Amino acid sequence: MIPDSSATGSSSMPDDDRPALETPLVGIIMGSKSDLRIMSAASDMLRQFNIPFEITLVSPHRTPHRMVEYAENARKRGLRVLIAGGGGAAHLPGMVAAFTTLPVIGVPINSTLSIQGLDSILSMIQMPNGVPVATVGVDSAANAAVLATQMLAINNARLADALEKYRTTLKDRVMRTIEELRKGGFQDDV
């Protein structure tokens, strides 16, 4: 199977026509083009960590054979983690998890068919024993990418270092905000 689009951390956009320089480690999949609005946050975050990824549509309802082929061949193609977005009944993450032993991270999407994302969350977290889907918050594709990075960092010192630096930037942002608030008269109890 040839995925629709591959990118490395240095590539400009997921629809870039240039060939990938490295084998993608993360597969980002979604059921329809409308999900790209949310799922592109995962590709943005993976670029920040310089992790090669691919991104494509894999609909469990409209292209079920493509979904099975994608999931069954993901490991052979070098992928190590899959991020699957789904709205409404959100079958994609669970069905993909049924056809691969790779970790699958589900991103519930608050789509037009969804009940504020609640139905999507429930379909991902209520998986049967033996077929887990790690699930992040509604529309939290960036967090799914951070979780994928943490999984990859278990055996990768560069990524572990990058995660430490990322966490430090998050802390520094909060500390700057606290200082700005203090200058404006805000008093905290800590």
Side-chain angles (χ1 to χ4, degrees):
M1 161 186 243
I2 298 173
D4 292 336
S5 180
S6 293
T8 64
S10 59
S11 182
S12 60
M13 291 298 293
D15 58 351
D16 196 339
D17 289 334
R18 292 174 291 176
L21 300 175
E22 297 179 61
T23 301
L25 297 178
V26 178
I28 303 170
I29 56 177
M30 64 209 86
S32 72
K33 185 178 177 184
S34 63
D35 298 338
L36 184 58
R37 176 181 58 82
I38 298 300
M39 298 303 289
S40 64
S43 62
D44 294 344
M45 186 63 70
L46 291 171
R47 271 193 206 91
Q48 284 184 36
F49 288 114
N50 201 25
I51 296 172
F53 64 90
E54 64 185 31
I55 186 166
T56 192
L57 298 181
V58 182
S59 173
H61 304 106
R62 294 176 288 257
T63 60
H65 297 291
R66 176 178 164 82
M67 180 203 66
V68 172
E69 181 185 1
Y70 185 91
E72 287 182 337
N73 292 310
R75 183 181 296 276
K76 290 179 220 165
R77 292 188 309 102
L79 294 172
R80 295 293 169 252
V81 182
L82 302 177
I83 299 173
H91 292 108
L92 181 60
M95 289 305 300
V96 166
F99 288 100
T100 186
T101 57
L102 291 176
V104 176
I105 303 169
V107 179
I109 296 176
N110 184 7
S111 67
T112 55
L113 301 174
S114 181
I115 306 166
Q116 298 181 341
L118 181 60
D119 45 349
S120 304
I121 289 172
L122 292 175
S123 71
M124 292 179 201
I125 63 173
Q126 292 299 104
M127 292 295 295
N129 288 336
V131 189
V133 171
T135 306
V136 295
V138 174
D139 295 344
S140 296
N143 254 1
V146 172
L147 181 56
T149 303
Q150 290 173 325
M151 290 174 178
L152 294 170
I154 291 170
N155 297 353
N156 185 312
R158 180 192 69 81
L159 288 178
D161 220 28
L163 282 165
E164 288 293 332
K165 289 176 183 168
Y166 173 70
R167 289 280 179 95
T168 298
T169 63
L170 295 178
K171 180 189 85 170
D172 291 347
R173 260 189 247 152
V174 171
M175 297 310 291
R176 280 193 304 273
T177 301
I178 290 169
E179 190 56 38
E180 290 169 11
L181 289 171
R182 284 183 181 151
K183 288 177 183 175
F186 174 79
Q187 297 298 316
D188 61 359
D189 293 336
V190 181

